[in-house]
Amino acid sequence: LERRNMSSQQKERVALIGSGNWGSAIAKLIGENVSHHKATFEEEIKMWVYEEQVEGKNLSEIINTTHCNIKYLPKVQLPQNIKAVTDVKEAAKDATLLLFVVPHQFLQKICRDVKPVIAQNARAISLIKGIEEENGRPLLLSSIIEKELGIDTSVLMGANIANDIAEGHFAEATIGYTRESSARVFQYLLNNSHFRVSTIEDVPGVELCGALKNIVGLAAGFVDGLDLPGNSKAAIVRLGLLEIIKFCKHFFPGVQDATFLESCGIADLMVTSLEGRNRKCAAAFVKTGKSFSELEGELLSGQKLQGTLTADTVYRIIHHSTLHSQFPYFVTIYNIIHKKEAVSSLLHKLSTVSQVESAWQPNSRY
């Protein structure tokens, strides 16, 4: 089947693919925003919900009757123009703007399901923080969407704790784009007085920052679990940023330096290291001795932790190219998770890295 041919004069039809914690927070944001821009956007937004039972009722029915996702974003009211649907094709039918906020392991199948029904002039944006590996290299999730659907795909990343965004606290985010016109329409959809959205022409940089910061969030949690002071945590976060930059530029040389100063870069790294779920679970990992899978069930309502998934993927990429010595930070995090390496080894290994880094300074011509 061919995609539906939509007239350029028609309003933009928005489809939200995903309804977890972050997806529901975004639903509140864009549901309110489109109500203020009725000349540009159709007011109803269909949100795809993976159906499950909550307190003996279908989650989709709960959302549509109470306007609250009581499992993933309790106590927050969603706008009445958000309609929960359990058929992803129904959610995406004739959509011109698709926002993907789903676990990345389901992304390819979802794209194949919705491809026949989206509008011919559709554009997409990924809000998914993660990466895949293909032939020993990073595979951007945005590139999966772009390849499967054959449409321009941007990314949105930033220092965003879902509950804070849903409650209207001020925050920023960054759109990485290839086509500026796509970035502008998504910026118009997402930006408001308490959610400031900037744009930069750098899809790989923005997307990798959003994924790799979760590994640093684990490291920050390990430091908190050891009850170390703030200066130790600051050092761990800074060294993590250096390795993020090195990884990005190794595999995507065109990544811009300015990207790391955007919300998707240093700001996201800061909030992840202070408040994020990866930090929280990593601290509990140290203090309780429980596995990450146990902690996901206890602390995240069974949702998967992106930091451990990303650490696994990044390690496979590093191992494939025998780059272990180039990325000691990421390798050590992986070993702590999977090889029972002592958490304290992270500080020992990185103190050596820091000494080597300092040793470079006298050779500078400045």
Side-chain angles (χ1 to χ4, degrees), residues 284-299:
F285 174 83
V286 176
K287 288 184 176 293
T288 67
K290 294 180 179 179
S291 69
F292 278 106
S293 59
E294 290 177 293
L295 293 168
E296 286 168 346
E298 293 179 10
L299 302 178

Side-chain angles (χ1 to χ4, degrees), residues 154-166:
S154 305
V155 295
L156 179 113
M157 305 287 157
N160 308 140
I161 301 295
N163 288 22
D164 294 343
I165 304 303

Side-chain angles (χ1 to χ4, degrees), residues 159-161 212-225 230 232-241 244 265-280 282-283 329:
N160 308 140
I161 301 295
L212 297 175
K213 60 95 182 187
N214 286 323
I215 304 178
V216 181
L218 293 175
F222 292 153
V223 170
D224 287 346
S232 299
K233 187 172 182 177
I236 288 293
V237 173
R238 189 190 77 86
L239 290 167
L241 175 59
I244 287 174
I266 185 63
D268 197 4
L269 196 61
M270 288 174 62
V271 75
T272 298
S273 301
L274 292 170
E275 302 180 31
R277 58 175 61 185
N278 292 283
R279 185 218 64 83
K280 179 181 179 180
Y329 194 108

